[in-house]
Amino acid sequence: MTKVLQEHLMKFLEDKNLIIVSNRGPVEFSRDNGKIFMKRGAGGLVSTILPLVERFEGVWVSSAMTLEDAEVALGYPENRVPVPLDDPKFNVSFVVVDREVYEDYYSVISNPLLWFLQHYMWNTPYGPDIDERIYDAWDKGYVHVNREFASRVIQEVDKNDKEPLIMLQDYHLYLCPGFIKKEMPEVFLSHFIHIPWPQRDYFKILPEGMRDAIMEGLLSNRILGFHIDRYCNNFLECCEDSGYDVDYEERSVIRDGERTFVKSYPISIDPESIYRTANSHLAMEKEDLVKRLKGDMFLIYRTDRADLSKNIIRGFKAYELFLREHPEFHGRVKFLATGKPTRQQIREYREYMDKISEPVDDINRRYGNEEWKPVEYICRADYELVAAAFKRYDCLLVNPIADGMNIVPKEASLINEEDGLIILSKNAGCYEELSDDVIGVNPFDVKETADALYYAVKADMAERKKRVQGLREKVVKRTIYNWINEQFNDFKKLI
Amino acid sequence: MTKVLQEHLMKFLEDKNLIIVSNRGPVEFSRDNGKIFMKRGAGGLVSTILPLVERFEGVWVSSAMTLEDAEVALGYPENRVPVPLDDPKFNVSFVVVDREVYEDYYSVISNPLLWFLQHYMWNTPYGPDIDERIYDAWDKGYVHVNREFASRVIQEVDKNDKEPLIMLQDYHLYLCPGFIKKEMPEVFLSHFIHIPWPQRDYFKILPEGMRDAIMEGLLSNRILGFHIDRYCNNFLECCEDSGYDVDYEERSVIRDGERTFVKSYPISIDPESIYRTANSHLAMEKEDLVKRLKGDMFLIYRTDRADLSKNIIRGFKAYELFLREHPEFHGRVKFLATGKPTRQQIREYREYMDKISEPVDDINRRYGNEEWKPVEYICRADYELVAAAFKRYDCLLVNPIADGMNIVPKEASLINEEDGLIILSKNAGCYEELSDDVIGVNPFDVKETADALYYAVKADMAERKKRVQGLREKVVKRTIYNWINEQFNDFKKLI
């Protein structure tokens, strides 16, 4: 616990009512054999913040994602579920809405509309078509759910004598701070955005009314966090474009006489948790599979949700080009890719899933033979397998066309045992921190990525060791605890 | 002639060797019945600049676009063709390259690569794939043709004792000024870019090597012109990103101790030429067709090359939504669209052509009947028909997703006889000048565009008259002669 937070911040939080607000919550309920089970969420955010919420008896406001979430929630007054049920340490306050409302909020507006916008991913001659369907989803879905979240938060503030400290998360909840502030003008609000922020020309794809609403919401926060300075600056320029008074020196925006500070807090990882996973029995077992696949070959590895931002197809095209240009490496390299389908209720994501298999099949058909299968694509969510592959890769490929941070290089370099190199997109947020010790590529440049693969297979051990050493030093020096402490320190200054 | 240029500029040009450099030249040769004919190019640029080139015995360097261009060119020393052949007033110096080289330069790099980039049009999860094919087209096509253009220009400078004044045009020739400057460091170079310039995040889709080469080329000019300040600023930010020293106050960039001034010169039209076309016999004839199509209905009109930037599909979708929401206007409105196919050698353009017909057929099938065909799409290049439609529209729709300037609203408002309103995309360069008297729309917003159509059909005559009056005042106040005089005035200060 002390590991997580500096001593003076522990004191600061003692008399605070800590309210975390995010679409996906820290726990999820599901049913097995008729009985309802609770599962903790994975990921650094939950594993870092949850102990704080528990320690300070805070509350987490989040969407009911499953039928069982809703069922459990509706069994408690105000959908306020004590967690764990048998020995409560904190509460989850569930926002429960109708399925169609949730779909409008999540699968129309949050994704693809906002997600595509913030990752420069719209095929602009054809999409988005901002028609009455989108406006409807905005009003009945996004606005409505944001209001529901705000109501829950207001309820939690009212419930508790302690001073509220509200931490909103991400792009699903842009309007929520505005709705809260309208009811409670004095309350302290902060918001962290985990994805990129686009430049003003591109942001203007959104209708002015939606942009204004988003700005009004976000500028209701006292602190607005992004991963890197570039996103902060892009956001400030959008604010100026919307007519707000921007102080670029201080990185802040003035609205109705109040100031929102726009700051970067690059997220990182929890090293202990990575080591633990890597050394788990299950990961050890999976390592056998990875070793078998690898044989005595040079292992190129990637792992991503099948999101269009992850640039999986160009990764395979680059590998194909590498194989075409360097036949001497046929039979001596293996490309292992793991990843799970994501957001399959959205057409663009289903199409992308379909298209990923094309280059994989093409490469295996064109270059493979009985002894050698150039690409292995394992399409499932299996974090222990990922950890096992992290240990054994010779080269990790992380080439998103845009990515808020991407913590894969940070996790992977910590536990890799082969002095593996990392090829990293210059458009991943983490490139700003790691550029010295990775092979940086333009994600659109298939040729450069193919050349980077060639560079990686040819690199000598001295270089590999030096780079992996450099990466590890950076990663252990800045963990997710820095991320959380920096934010609380800034909150403390302003409260 | 004096109309074109201010007196002191006439003097300035007397002792100059005026060299215009553009991919498409002022004349084109073709064959009819075995005999070779010369045709003058249309458009404001040619009709404005050509008289100057003639008057001052200048030269125009351009690509041989047709087989006959090449044939004629090869019949003269150094491909230098006197024009007109029988009574020469100036020369066209043709750049003749092999067909594959030209295709690489024009149909791979200039379009779609640069054009899509500068109009924010890439479907980034899938394109561009910057692979060895693109690099090859860059080296063997774009770089090569730019070098050829530079050689021709250098030849023209050498040929003439007068001081050279070089005016390069557009995105096909970004590298050319750099190649000229390397040979002739003291020569005066200017370049005008007729399309938008994107913001830095998006510009970075291009490989760094290509960006550096483009910057080196463009910063070899003393003056670099764009249509509007927004493009200038975007360009300056890209320069800063490439490591150049940028003076935002003075809008200039310092490279090797020399300064490039980045200025906006919003292009406009030649009113006389528009009036002439409108009053031509041919246009009068075409007006009958337009009147017949229009009947006593409210005429919505648009005209565009079938370029993906023109947003033709969303225009029809907006009309469909308008019809759906306002059945009281069925049978009382007509949407006439004219336009020609463009760049059909490029896959993306062929696909777009195919897709345009879908909403047209859909609307006519869904809403049309024996008496009423809601949409008429005339797919051919017919400037007199366009002029006739300009005279008769009640509402002109110009909704590009991005457009350097777009002079359609300027031309159309001058000759319209119905006090027609203009719905104009806020992403068209001309929106900056015309915003007060048009109905501005977000081009991605189909709903807003549909609402704008409804607003237009409902607008009273007083408003229509006021707006068209306002437009005309602005257009006649700033013609293409201002555009050319401003540039020469700036040249004069620096030479």
Side-chain angles (χ1 to χ4, degrees):
Chain A
M1 203 48 232
T2 43
K3 190 188 69 175
V4 175
L5 221 58
Q6 293 160 355
E7 200 59 40
H8 73 109
L9 293 177
M10 295 291 287
K11 286 213 185 75
F12 168 70
L13 280 177
E14 284 295 350
D15 61 351
K16 298 294 178 296
N17 177 15
L18 183 60
I19 305 174
I20 311 294
V21 194
S22 68
N23 181 55
R24 183 179 294 274
V27 295
E28 194 172 285
F29 292 93
S30 58
R31 193 182 301 272
D32 192 22
N33 260 328
K35 199 171 169 315
I36 282 185
F37 284 91
M38 191 190 86
K39 209 179 72 182
R40 269 195 180 214
L45 189 66
V46 167
S47 70
T48 311
I49 294 185
L50 193 52
L52 297 175
V53 179
E54 290 178 342
R55 167 69 180 74
F56 298 105
E57 294 167 355
V59 62
W60 200 308
V61 181
S62 64
S63 283
M65 311 283 282
T66 63
L67 279 176
E68 290 79 12
D69 285 352
E71 189 182 325
V72 171
L74 295 174
Y76 290 87
E78 301 170 335
N79 303 353
R80 205 164 184 270
V81 180
V83 174
L85 294 173
D86 48 359
D87 175 24
K89 296 215 170 97
F90 74 109
N91 290 288
V92 175
S93 174
F94 280 110
V95 172
V96 185
V97 296
D98 288 348
R99 188 46 39 186
E100 315 85 79
V101 172
Y102 188 81
E103 283 304 305
D104 278 348
Y105 150 78
Y106 187 83
S107 304
V108 180
I109 302 300
S110 303
N111 311 292
L113 186 61
L114 297 176
W115 178 272
F116 274 38
L117 187 85
Q118 296 192 230
H119 291 84
Y120 293 109
M121 282 196 331
W122 280 112
N123 184 12
T124 55
Y126 300 103
D129 275 338
I130 300 178
D131 56 13
E132 79 292 2
R133 175 79 193 85
I134 300 276
Y135 273 97
D136 220 51
W138 175 265
D139 290 336
K140 296 188 190 145
Y142 197 77
V143 175
H144 179 79
V145 175
N146 270 264
R147 270 193 208 286
E148 291 292 306
F149 267 89
S151 301
R152 285 268 168 264
V153 172
I154 289 165
Q155 200 175 70
E156 291 300 327
V157 172
D158 279 338
K159 243 189 174 38
N160 199 315
D161 289 338
K162 289 183 183 176
E163 187 167 14
L165 181 59
I166 301 167
M167 297 178 71
L168 298 128
Q169 306 293 317
D170 234 350
Y171 61 103
H172 315 82
L173 300 174
Y174 287 156
L175 311 183
C176 190
F179 295 143
I180 299 170
K181 196 175 170 66
K182 222 164 255 161
E183 298 294 314
M184 303 182 146
E186 299 303 323
V187 87
F188 180 88
L189 290 159
S190 73
H191 204 135
F192 189 86
I193 296 175
H194 294 260
I195 65 176
W197 194 272
Q199 292 199 275
R200 63 183 142 62
D201 280 2
Y202 206 85
F203 186 54
K204 280 186 170 168
I205 287 175
L206 273 193
E208 195 176 353
M210 294 183 196
R211 279 185 279 131
D212 287 348
I214 289 172
M215 287 306 188
E216 197 183 321
L218 289 177
L219 296 177
S220 298
N221 293 292
R222 284 289 278 156
I223 292 199
L224 181 60
F226 291 96
H227 285 307
I228 58 174
D229 289 347
R230 181 157 60 89
Y231 308 153
C232 294
N233 289 333
N234 289 353
F235 177 78
L236 292 176
E237 286 175 12
C238 289
C239 290
E240 194 181 353
D241 221 48
S242 290
Y244 289 103
D245 189 4
V246 174
D247 180 341
Y248 285 98
E249 288 291 302
E250 264 225 335
R251 285 231 175 91
S252 65
V253 186
I254 294 124
R255 177 179 165 266
D256 298 338
E258 291 189 81
R259 207 176 270 268
T260 299
F261 292 91
V262 180
K263 290 201 60 171
S264 64
Y265 306 95
I267 208 167
S268 191
I269 57 165
D270 174 8
E272 295 310 318
S273 147
I274 310 299
Y275 293 138
R276 213 177 308 125
T277 311
N279 294 323
S280 71
H281 183 67
L282 221 48
M284 300 289 196
E285 264 180 34
K286 299 289 162 82
E287 220 179 315
D288 289 340
L289 167 63
V290 174
K291 281 180 179 162
R292 211 163 53 239
L293 285 169
K294 177 173 178 171
D296 56 357
M297 289 181 284
F298 182 96
L299 183 67
I300 299 162
Y301 178 58
R302 78 172 302 147
T303 184
D304 307 273
R305 288 183 304 112
D307 193 285
L308 291 80
S309 66
K310 300 297 184 182
N311 209 20
I312 298 167
I313 295 173
R314 282 196 192 82
F316 288 130
K317 285 185 174 172
Y319 181 58
E320 192 282 326
L321 182 56
F322 159 76
L323 292 178
R324 184 152 31 106
E325 289 186 334
H326 302 287
E328 69 274 23
F329 284 102
H330 293 191
R332 293 171 55 199
V333 293
K334 165 77 101 182
F335 193 145
L336 170 64
T338 64
K340 55 175 176 179
T342 183
R343 301 175 187 165
Q344 289 296 294
Q345 73 279 22
I346 299 167
R347 180 179 50 81
E348 285 87 345
Y349 283 83
R350 291 194 300 274
E351 287 173 1
Y352 195 66
M353 264 317 282
D354 286 346
K355 287 203 171 115
I356 288 174
S357 59
E358 288 172 19
V360 173
D361 296 344
D362 175 60
I363 293 167
N364 283 333
R365 200 168 38 233
R366 215 180 324 172
Y367 299 98
N369 53 43
E370 276 187 18
E371 273 111 57
W372 180 51
K373 191 177 172 192
V375 184
E376 200 76 52
Y377 186 46
I378 301 177
C379 186
R380 66 169 188 261
D382 181 342
Y383 192 63
E384 282 76 19
L385 174 61
V386 170
F390 279 172
K391 288 161 87 173
R392 297 270 74 93
Y393 69 78
D394 297 289
C395 173
L396 179 73
L397 178 60
V398 182
N399 66 330
I401 58 175
D403 208 330
M405 170 54 69
N406 200 319
I407 54 166
V408 164
K410 296 186 177 185
E411 292 184 336
S413 57
L414 271 200
I415 58 173
N416 179 264
E417 296 177 6
E418 306 278 359
D419 296 317
L421 289 171
I422 298 183
I423 297 173
L424 181 59
S425 164
K426 292 179 180 176
N427 290 359
C430 63
Y431 181 76
E432 298 218 343
E433 289 168 85
L434 308 179
S435 59
D436 287 348
D437 297 302
V438 296
I439 308 169
V441 293
N442 171 346
F444 302 99
D445 193 336
V446 172
K447 171 76 176 129
E448 185 183 32
T449 310
D451 291 347
L453 288 169
Y454 182 63
Y455 183 90
V457 295
K458 299 278 284 184
D460 61 28
M461 270 301 157
E463 176 178 355
R464 288 170 60 155
K465 275 182 200 307
K466 191 179 142 288
R467 288 198 187 240
V468 89
Q469 192 54 36
L471 287 172
R472 275 183 200 150
E473 277 165 21
K474 278 190 198 93
V475 176
V476 295
K477 217 165 128 182
R478 179 180 176 83
T479 68
I480 195 162
Y481 307 114
N482 297 87
W483 180 77
I484 194 75
N485 277 285
E486 286 167 9
Q487 289 182 72
F488 279 119
N489 273 312
D490 285 344
F491 298 168
K492 199 180 157 198
K493 279 181 221 152
L494 291 171
I495 285 184
Chain B
M1 202 48 231
T2 42
K3 188 188 71 176
V4 175
L5 221 57
Q6 292 161 357
E7 200 60 40
H8 73 111
L9 293 176
M10 295 291 287
K11 288 214 183 75
F12 168 70
L13 280 176
E14 283 296 351
D15 60 351
K16 298 294 179 297
N17 176 16
L18 184 60
I19 304 174
I20 312 293
V21 194
S22 66
N23 181 57
R24 183 178 294 272
V27 295
E28 193 172 284
F29 292 93
S30 58
R31 192 182 302 271
D32 191 24
N33 262 328
K35 200 171 167 314
I36 282 185
F37 285 91
M38 192 189 84
K39 208 179 72 184
R40 270 194 181 216
L45 189 66
V46 167
S47 70
T48 311
I49 294 185
L50 194 53
L52 297 175
V53 179
E54 290 177 343
R55 166 69 180 74
F56 298 104
E57 294 168 354
V59 62
W60 201 307
V61 181
S62 63
S63 282
M65 310 283 282
T66 64
L67 279 175
E68 290 79 13
D69 285 352
E71 190 183 326
V72 172
L74 295 173
Y76 290 85
E78 302 170 333
N79 303 353
R80 207 165 180 269
V81 181
V83 174
L85 293 173
D86 49 359
D87 176 22
K89 297 215 170 99
F90 73 108
N91 290 288
V92 176
S93 175
F94 280 110
V95 172
V96 185
V97 296
D98 289 347
R99 187 47 36 186
E100 316 84 79
V101 172
Y102 188 81
E103 285 302 306
D104 277 349
Y105 150 79
Y106 187 83
S107 304
V108 179
I109 302 299
S110 303
N111 311 292
L113 187 61
L114 297 176
W115 178 272
F116 274 39
L117 188 85
Q118 296 191 229
H119 290 83
Y120 293 109
M121 280 194 334
W122 279 111
N123 184 12
T124 55
Y126 301 102
D129 274 337
I130 300 179
D131 56 13
E132 79 293 2
R133 174 80 194 85
I134 299 277
Y135 273 97
D136 220 50
W138 174 265
D139 291 336
K140 295 187 189 146
Y142 197 77
V143 175
H144 180 79
V145 174
N146 270 265
R147 271 193 208 286
E148 291 292 306
F149 267 89
S151 303
R152 284 270 167 261
V153 172
I154 289 164
Q155 202 176 68
E156 291 299 327
V157 172
D158 279 338
K159 243 188 174 38
N160 199 315
D161 289 339
K162 290 185 184 173
E163 188 168 13
L165 182 59
I166 301 167
M167 295 177 71
L168 298 128
Q169 305 293 318
D170 233 351
Y171 61 103
H172 316 82
L173 300 174
Y174 287 156
L175 310 183
C176 190
F179 296 143
I180 299 169
K181 196 172 169 69
K182 222 165 254 161
E183 298 293 315
M184 304 184 146
E186 300 302 324
V187 87
F188 181 88
L189 290 159
S190 72
H191 203 135
F192 189 86
I193 295 175
H194 294 259
I195 65 176
W197 194 273
Q199 292 200 273
R200 62 182 143 63
D201 280 1
Y202 207 84
F203 186 54
K204 280 187 170 168
I205 287 174
L206 273 192
E208 194 175 355
M210 294 184 194
R211 280 184 278 133
D212 287 348
I214 288 172
M215 287 305 186
E216 196 182 321
L218 289 178
L219 296 177
S220 297
N221 293 293
R222 284 289 277 157
I223 291 197
L224 181 59
F226 291 95
H227 285 306
I228 57 174
D229 289 346
R230 182 157 59 90
Y231 309 152
C232 295
N233 289 333
N234 289 353
F235 178 78
L236 291 176
E237 286 175 12
C238 289
C239 290
E240 194 182 354
D241 221 47
S242 291
Y244 289 102
D245 189 3
V246 174
D247 181 342
Y248 285 97
E249 287 292 301
E250 263 225 333
R251 284 231 175 92
S252 65
V253 186
I254 294 125
R255 176 177 165 268
D256 298 338
E258 290 189 82
R259 208 178 271 267
T260 299
F261 293 91
V262 180
K263 290 202 59 171
S264 64
Y265 305 96
I267 209 167
S268 191
I269 58 164
D270 174 8
E272 295 309 320
S273 149
I274 309 300
Y275 295 137
R276 211 177 308 124
T277 309
N279 294 323
S280 71
H281 184 67
L282 222 47
M284 301 286 197
E285 265 182 32
K286 299 291 163 81
E287 220 179 315
D288 290 339
L289 168 62
V290 175
K291 282 180 180 160
R292 211 164 53 239
L293 285 169
K294 176 173 178 170
D296 57 358
M297 288 181 285
F298 182 94
L299 182 66
I300 300 163
Y301 178 57
R302 75 173 304 145
T303 183
D304 307 273
R305 289 183 304 112
D307 193 285
L308 289 80
S309 66
K310 300 297 184 183
N311 208 20
I312 298 167
I313 295 174
R314 281 196 194 82
F316 289 131
K317 285 186 174 172
Y319 181 58
E320 193 281 327
L321 182 56
F322 159 76
L323 292 179
R324 184 151 33 105
E325 289 185 333
H326 302 287
E328 69 274 23
F329 284 102
H330 293 191
R332 294 169 55 198
V333 293
K334 165 78 103 180
F335 192 146
L336 170 65
T338 64
K340 56 176 175 179
T342 182
R343 301 175 187 164
Q344 289 295 294
Q345 72 280 20
I346 298 167
R347 180 178 50 81
E348 285 88 344
Y349 284 84
R350 291 193 301 274
E351 287 173 359
Y352 195 66
M353 265 316 281
D354 286 346
K355 290 205 169 114
I356 288 174
S357 58
E358 288 173 18
V360 174
D361 296 343
D362 174 60
I363 292 166
N364 283 334
R365 201 170 36 232
R366 211 171 337 162
Y367 299 97
N369 53 44
E370 273 184 23
E371 274 112 58
W372 181 51
K373 191 177 172 192
V375 185
E376 200 75 54
Y377 186 45
I378 302 177
C379 185
R380 66 168 186 260
D382 181 341
Y383 192 63
E384 282 78 18
L385 174 60
V386 170
F390 279 172
K391 288 160 87 172
R392 297 270 75 93
Y393 68 77
D394 297 287
C395 173
L396 179 73
L397 177 60
V398 182
N399 66 330
I401 57 174
D403 208 330
M405 170 55 69
N406 200 318
I407 55 169
V408 164
K410 296 186 177 185
E411 292 184 336
S413 56
L414 272 200
I415 58 174
N416 179 264
E417 296 176 7
E418 306 279 0
D419 296 318
L421 290 170
I422 298 183
I423 296 174
L424 180 58
S425 163
K426 293 180 179 175
N427 289 359
C430 63
Y431 181 77
E432 298 218 342
E433 288 168 85
L434 308 180
S435 58
D436 288 348
D437 298 302
V438 296
I439 307 169
V441 291
N442 171 345
F444 301 99
D445 195 335
V446 172
K447 170 76 176 131
E448 186 183 31
T449 310
D451 290 346
L453 288 169
Y454 181 63
Y455 183 90
V457 295
K458 300 277 283 182
D460 63 28
M461 270 300 157
E463 174 176 356
R464 288 170 61 153
K465 275 183 200 304
K466 192 179 144 286
R467 288 195 186 244
V468 89
Q469 194 53 36
L471 287 171
R472 274 183 200 147
E473 277 166 21
K474 280 193 195 90
V475 175
V476 295
K477 217 164 127 182
R478 178 179 176 83
T479 69
I480 195 162
Y481 306 114
N482 297 84
W483 180 77
I484 195 76
N485 277 285
E486 286 167 8
Q487 290 181 71
F488 279 120
N489 272 315
D490 285 342
F491 298 168
K492 199 179 157 201
K493 280 180 219 152
L494 290 172
I495 286 182

